[in-house]
Each structure stands twice: as structure tokens, then as C-alpha cells.
Amino acid sequence: MFESFKPINRFLMGPGPANVHPKVLEALSKPTLGHLDPQFLQLMEELKNLLRYVFKTKNENTFVISGPGSLGMEASLVNMIEPDDKIIVCVGGYFSNRMAQIAEKFGANVIVVKEEWGRAIEPQKLEDALKENSDTKFVAFVHAETSTGALSDAKTLSKIAHDYNSLVITDAVTSLGAVDLYVDEWNLDVVYSCSQKGLACVAGMSPVTFSDAAIHHIKNRKTKIKSWFNDFNFLEPYWFGENKRAYHHTAPANQFYALHEALSLIKDEGIENSWERHKRNSNKLIERLKNELHLEPIVPIEERIPHLLAIKVPDGIDEAKVRKELLEKFNLEIGVGLGELAGKVWRIGLMGYNSNERMVDYLIKSLKEVISK
Ligand SMILES: *Cc1c(COP(=O)(O)O)cnc(C)c1O
């Protein structure tokens, strides 16, 4: 007789996945429903409304792509871009660079506005690029750049883009649920996220929302959308079909229960309270890292993602060894630096369910023991 797989109960304090709320794990084990079961369709309706709540939007076209954040990224770009369309992508890290790569794959004429890794996108740079490229159709940026810990001013970037008649595509993969995000107020046309970071759910679902302007654009394209799975015109009858829903793919029913539970927990707490909690606990963590371990974030204070810190590795410390000992002795996972920041930073996340004082205490205590050796 085989042995069931028994995962170690780790403390996940890196850039995601974060630990999943016990009630969300419980939701996963409920009886499976068919993807066209009337009760399942009811669940989809509730998911759309809960997502409108966390995105702060009235967008009708708010739903879930059955796949990770990266698939949401592809869905957002492929539905908008036609061959040779000009798109400005603001790149200051690993994930914004991925946006640029995907846009290029879909045949866009990609203009990159470069920012230093670890800094928010400078709005003036975007404006300068738009002045030089008056035929730009889209502006894309990452709100919370998880690879560097920098939070960009999505409201200002969006305002500038719209001043120059561009539609705005925003990555809210790390921001949704954890830091202030106002899709309607900030006029963000296409926004995608994930389930496993700020929402404290399991990975594999990408919430997305499309403004009326974005949908108008999709419906008036001259060329076909270069994807079958992500084509909004095919997803639409499944998520929004009047009176009759049509099969598109088999939605992961149990995962959707989990997402429903995770979103309901945020609604219960209040989204603004969730944002506040993330700031409060991160401020405590930053204070204690500084005072007790002389560790500091690389990102200037006013440009920081509250719940995901890139912490400078001190000279003379073997960063990989610290991570290894944290994992082996304390069951604690923190993140590695990516791209230009490889070997230079640790990435520490206090996301969703993990944003609490107990986790701050545990991290400080463990890091002290490992570093003091
Ligand atoms: C994690 C992340 C992604 C990719 O999400 P996956 O769920 O890993 O595919 C995209 N953008 C940002 C900013 C991220 O942090």
C-alpha cells in the first residue's frame, strides 16, 4: 500500500506562494461539482461579485482565468494586441520584462521605458516616451514589482497614459488584496492578478477585469486573437452567457471554492482593513530588522511594496546559506533575488494570512539565530 504524500508544514515568507488560510484549505476538500451544474454557475456569479469588491470596480467583465498569474498576463496582452500595435511597457524588474517579452511574441511593436531595478517607474519617463510615440495604443506596467520590492504609482501612470489616448494594462499580481488598488478610480483598463499572494489562496487562478473601453477594443479588432484558450470571445459565453452557459474548459471546481472562501474572508475583514493590516505588520518587521539585525530594504520608503521587502544582504554573508538554514532548521522559506538582484537581496513577504505579528516574531527570532552564527 502506498503512502500518501505528506508535505512539510513550512512558513512561506517569500514572494509567494504564501501560506493558505486553514478555512481555504478546508474549502478545497468539499464535494466536486460539474462545471455547468446550476449550483456551480451560482458560485461563478458570486466569484465575479467578490472580485469586483476586491478590485474596487463595477466592470461587468470581471472573472477568473483558470491558470496562474502568468496566464492572466498572457490573456490580458493577447486580447488587446494586434500585429504591429505600439505598446509602451515600463520595465523595472523581472515581471515587467516578462510583459515586454510576451507583447513581442504577440507581434507588438514594443517600446520599453526602463527604470532602475528597485525603484518605482518615474512617471516623467512614461510621459516623454508617449510624446515621442504618439501612435502608442497601450501602456503596460507592473503595480507591485515582486522581483525588486518597488511599488509604482499606478494612478499617475494611468492618468498620463490616458492623457495620450492609450489604454492601460496593469499587473496587480502581488498588489491585489494587500495594498491599495482602485481599478475604476484609477481608470485601469485591463488588470490581472493571481490567487496565491495577497489573496492567501492556492495557486492556479488568475482574476482579471476588463473595462468597457477594453471590451469595446476587443470587439472591434481587425485581426483574430492569437490564442484559443485566452480568447475573450470564447470565454465570454462561459462566464457571461445570457440564460445559457456554454462549455469552454473544465473549470477547477474545488479551486474555485477555495478562491470563494479566500475572497469572502477579505470581504469579511474589509479590503481597506486588509491593506492597513499589511502596512502595520510590515512596518513592525522593517523596524525590527533594522534595530535588531541592521538589515534594510533596498527600496526607498515611499516606493516600497509594504508586504514584499527586498532586503539587502550584508557584505560577508552567504545569502544562500542563510536561506538554506532557515528552511532546514526553522521550516521557513524566504525568497531569492531575481535577475539583476540575484545574490544581492532576500525577498521577504508578509502576505495575506501571513501578515500578522506572530510571523514577524518568528522570522526575527529565526534570522537572529542563523545570522549570529
Ligand atoms: C508572481 C508574479 C507573476 C506570475 O504569477 P504566477 O502565478 O507565478 O504565474 C506575475 N507578475 C508579478 C508581479 C508576480 O509577482
Side-chain angles (χ1 to χ4, degrees), residues 15-16 67-73 94-96 98-99 142-147 171-175 192-197 203-206 347 351:
S70 304
L71 195 67
M73 191 188 284
Y94 182 89
F95 290 106
S96 38
R98 184 180 288 180
M99 285 181 107
V142 172
H143 184 209
E145 179 50 84
T146 325
S147 62
D171 175 312
V173 171
T174 285
S175 47
Y192 61 89
S193 189
C194 77
S195 44
Q196 76 275 16
K197 297 182 187 179
M205 289 163 286
S206 178
R347 290 182 303 145
M351 297 195 213

Side-chain angles (χ1 to χ4, degrees), residues 222-273:
K222 291 185 188 71
T223 59
K224 284 188 180 168
I225 292 165
K226 291 191 175 194
S227 166
W228 181 87
F229 188 80
N230 278 330
D231 186 333
F232 177 77
N233 298 303
F234 300 157
L235 285 159
E236 190 179 24
Y238 184 43
W239 279 94
F240 303 99
E242 289 281 328
N243 304 320
K244 188 173 177 340
R245 299 290 178 89
Y247 163 75
H248 174 266
H249 66 282
T250 309
N254 296 55
Q255 274 176 263
F256 277 21
Y257 309 160
L259 185 60
H260 184 272
E261 191 77 10
L263 292 169
S264 300
L265 284 163
I266 292 178
K267 188 160 188 204
D268 221 37
E269 178 180 14
I271 183 87
E272 289 86 356
N273 296 332

Side-chain angles (χ1 to χ4, degrees), residues 16 19 32 39 72-73 81 132 145 283:
N19 288 100
T32 300
Q39 199 194 8
M73 191 188 284
I81 292 171
E132 267 179 44
E145 179 50 84
N283 285 339

Side-chain angles (χ1 to χ4, degrees), residues 113 121-131 156-157 160:
V113 168
I121 303 298
E122 170 69 53
Q124 188 59 48
K125 288 188 188 170
L126 172 61
E127 182 146 16
D128 292 346
L130 281 160
K131 272 188 194 142
T156 300
L157 295 175
I160 293 168

